[in-house]
Amino acid sequence: MSGSLDGQVAVITGAASGIGKALAQALAQAGAQVAIADLNLPGAQAAAGEIQAAGGRALGVAMDVTDEAAVNAGIAQVEQALGPVDILIANAGVQIVHPIQDFPFDAWKKLLAIHLDGAFLTTKAVLPGMYARKRGTVIYMGSAHSHEASPLKSAYVTAKHGLLGLARTLAKEGGAHGVRSHVVCPGFVRTPLVEKQIPEQAASLGISEEEVIQRVMLGNTVDGTFTTLEDVATTVLFLCRFPSNALTGQSILVSHGWHMG
Ligand code: NAD
């Protein structure tokens, strides 16, 4: 495979499934060598195998993004196998829904650790190499919930807002070192994470699954349409290809107008 990201090494967390998996395929098609880092090692290896079968270069890596030692070991494994990291996409995520008064503290801490500790630890692990080579792009997988709130999603909304702060701080610290950062903020995309929420939200809100889709998930879009994996991949590729620091520290919404930021 050859393309506009030829020779670049990309690490994508949570890429055994859903959005991360689609991003790994898109970056590989653009010529990048991709490391698929996930808690689910068999899934990561299967996703890497699909890319290799299509002629790309990919590696499945075991990584719990909440564990500093596991993150550092995983990034070291990638650097040894593929070379220094040019692109990090901190994408691993989960959803847990409860009203605030019933939200188990352990579940709150777990969600924040995956989204925020994971983004921080993976960034910290790749930055020395990026700074040494004066190049790098870090993309955090935010959400329309980086800008909007929804009932039942206090932990998720808090975490996704928090990523804006990390991305903006990295943009300021990394600028002098040739490192850029962004938050990509999709609307609802039909991945396993979202499929699971439909019956959960229907039960919690006392409405039908169709109403969850039409009212809760798509009610604020301009056209009642889900965002697609391709929409997110096209946006991420644009940001990875952008050639200068003119574009950094941004939050890009890909949400059918759910939020206009
Ligand atoms: P998904 O459930 O399909 O995939 C998530 C992946 O993250 C899984 O492979 C899982 O194994 C991995 N993961 C979970 N915990 C991990 C950990 N501790 N360490 C490493 N990997 C871990 O979900 P998705 O919908 O593809 O979501 C990916 C990202 O996109 C998440 O950050 C999510 O919040 C965000 N997002 C999703 C949507 C959507 O509508 N699907 C919208 C906006 C943002």
Side-chain angles (χ1 to χ4, degrees):
M1 283 188 191
S2 67
S4 56
L5 299 180
D6 269 351
Q8 298 205 34
V9 173
V11 177
I12 308 167
T13 68
S17 173
I19 292 175
K21 183 175 176 183
L23 294 180
Q25 288 169 342
L27 266 67
Q29 269 163 16
Q33 305 178 65
V34 295
I36 293 172
D38 205 291
L39 204 52
N40 170 5
L41 180 60
Q45 287 170 331
E50 284 178 41
I51 290 172
Q52 287 157 1
R57 192 140 178 235
L59 174 73
V61 179
M63 187 186 288
D64 177 352
V65 297
T66 68
D67 178 337
E68 184 173 18
V71 169
N72 291 341
I75 297 297
Q77 184 190 342
V78 173
E79 289 180 337
Q80 200 172 21
L82 303 179
V85 177
D86 301 292
I87 296 167
L88 166 67
I89 303 177
N91 164 82
V94 295
Q95 179 61 278
I96 304 174
V97 293
H98 296 285
I100 294 171
Q101 72 275 19
D102 298 330
F103 215 113
F105 188 34
D106 282 350
W108 165 271
K109 284 191 283 195
K110 175 184 168 187
L111 190 147
L112 291 188
I114 295 170
H115 290 262
L116 291 179
D117 297 357
F120 166 73
L121 290 172
T122 50
T123 302
K124 191 175 172 195
V126 300
L127 275 191
M130 289 183 174
Y131 282 5
R133 298 164 65 243
K134 290 215 162 293
R135 59 186 267 178
T137 302
V138 177
I139 294 178
Y140 300 105
M141 194 51 62
S143 163
H145 283 113
S146 297
H147 299 273
E148 294 273 352
S150 291
L152 312 178
K153 295 189 175 173
S154 55
Y156 189 83
V157 169
T158 301
K160 291 305 192 190
H161 275 65
L163 291 174
L164 298 175
L166 180 60
R168 290 168 183 162
T169 305
L170 176 58
K172 294 214 171 189
E173 293 186 8
H177 305 280
V179 172
R180 302 189 279 276
S181 69
H182 299 288
V183 187
V184 169
C185 300
F188 280 98
V189 183
R190 292 200 84 153
T191 66
L193 178 140
V194 162
E195 296 297 345
K196 181 171 165 283
Q197 281 175 62
I198 297 171
E200 284 176 1
Q201 292 224 23
S204 297
L205 297 171
I207 57 178
S208 72
E209 294 191 12
E210 193 50 32
E211 280 176 300
V212 171
I213 292 173
Q214 294 307 331
R215 245 176 46 209
V216 179
M217 296 187 164
L218 304 178
N220 290 321
T221 63
V222 295
D223 54 7
T225 303
F226 278 99
T227 301
T228 65
L229 296 171
E230 293 71 28
D231 295 327
V232 182
T234 302
T235 308
V236 166
L237 280 174
F238 166 74
L239 294 171
C240 290
R241 287 169 172 145
F242 197 83
S244 79
N245 278 351
L247 200 54
T248 191
Q250 299 305 305
S251 149
I252 315 282
L253 282 129
V254 201
S255 66
H256 287 261
W258 171 5
H259 179 93
M260 302 188 190

